[in-house]
Amino acid sequence: PRCLAAESREPDPEQMLPEISYIKILEWNSLATMRDFLRKSHEGFFSFIDADKVVSLEQVRICYSKSIKMVETSTRVKLPESIFLMLLSGRNQISKAQLEVGVSSSTKAVLAVYDSVSEFRRFLETSGSGVIVVENIPVPESLKEKDGEIFSKMARVQLAL
């Protein structure tokens, strides 16, 4: 017999994994399209980060899980996407985090991190031919030699929030 109490529990944020897509930017106006998409209403979690500024996919997944969980307890920051960027960059100010890991005019490739495939499809529809999704993500799955540095930066941000 199944336990009804177990079925009604919220999913554990630490176990939730985001979708991650690697996007090559073909036209400069695609950056404006990305910013517009993020500013307008979208469902769920959605963030763009500079693929060259990420150490590993594991880093992205951990920052995502922590940001979903931390938004419930943070008194300073209420958007999980902002906490995500702060954790990823190791900066406790949103503007500095955006400069550190966000998309800019020098960005050549982007990691889209999201929890709704339909929202990602909607983004692609609004982007037209300015971007292309690449199937194989050229970012390492894990980079153990960088773990200490990454996790100490994350911990500093967590303490500040």
Side-chain angles (χ1 to χ4, degrees):
R2 296 186 331 192
C3 176
L4 293 177
E7 289 179 12
S8 64
R9 274 190 257 150
E10 292 288 320
D12 180 1
E14 296 290 335
Q15 302 303 314
M16 296 186 308
L17 295 177
E19 298 287 334
I20 302 172
S21 294
Y22 184 80
I23 302 170
K24 293 292 277 182
I25 298 174
L26 302 177
E27 297 174 5
W28 290 112
N29 63 348
S30 297
L31 292 174
T33 303
M34 288 179 184
R35 288 188 188 111
D36 287 345
F37 186 82
L38 291 177
R39 284 187 190 119
K40 295 178 181 168
S41 65
H42 55 80
E43 297 293 320
F45 185 96
F46 210 104
S47 187
F48 295 112
I49 52 178
D50 189 322
D52 292 333
K53 296 180 180 175
V54 172
V55 173
S56 70
L57 295 177
E58 180 181 36
Q59 174 194 21
V60 172
R61 289 184 189 108
I62 290 169
C63 289
Y64 168 84
S65 294
K66 288 186 178 299
S67 67
I68 298 300
K69 189 173 185 176
M70 287 177 65
V71 77
E72 297 170 4
T73 59
S74 175
T75 56
R76 221 179 98 202
V77 183
K78 293 299 177 191
L79 293 174
E81 292 89 346
S82 296
I83 295 173
F84 171 74
L85 291 176
M86 293 165 74
L87 290 169
L88 198 61
S89 68
R91 304 287 186 165
N92 61 2
Q93 294 179 348
I94 297 167
S95 59
K96 289 184 179 182
Q98 180 63 38
L99 289 173
E100 183 91 15
V101 296
V103 176
S104 69
S105 59
S106 63
T107 301
K108 305 280 187 268
V110 172
L111 287 180
V113 182
Y114 52 95
D115 61 5
S116 170
V117 173
S118 61
E119 285 298 295
F120 182 66
R121 285 188 189 124
R122 193 167 68 84
F123 160 71
L124 291 176
E125 289 169 7
T126 62
S127 299
S129 60
V131 299
I132 185 170
V133 177
V134 178
E135 291 300 317
N136 295 322
I137 300 175
V139 175
E141 183 61 39
S142 179
L143 207 56
K144 296 295 181 202
E145 60 270 17
K146 293 280 192 174
D147 280 356
E149 177 186 341
I150 291 168
F151 293 122
S152 66
K153 285 182 177 182
M154 272 188 232
R156 283 195 306 265
V157 171
Q158 285 179 280
L159 290 173
L161 294 178

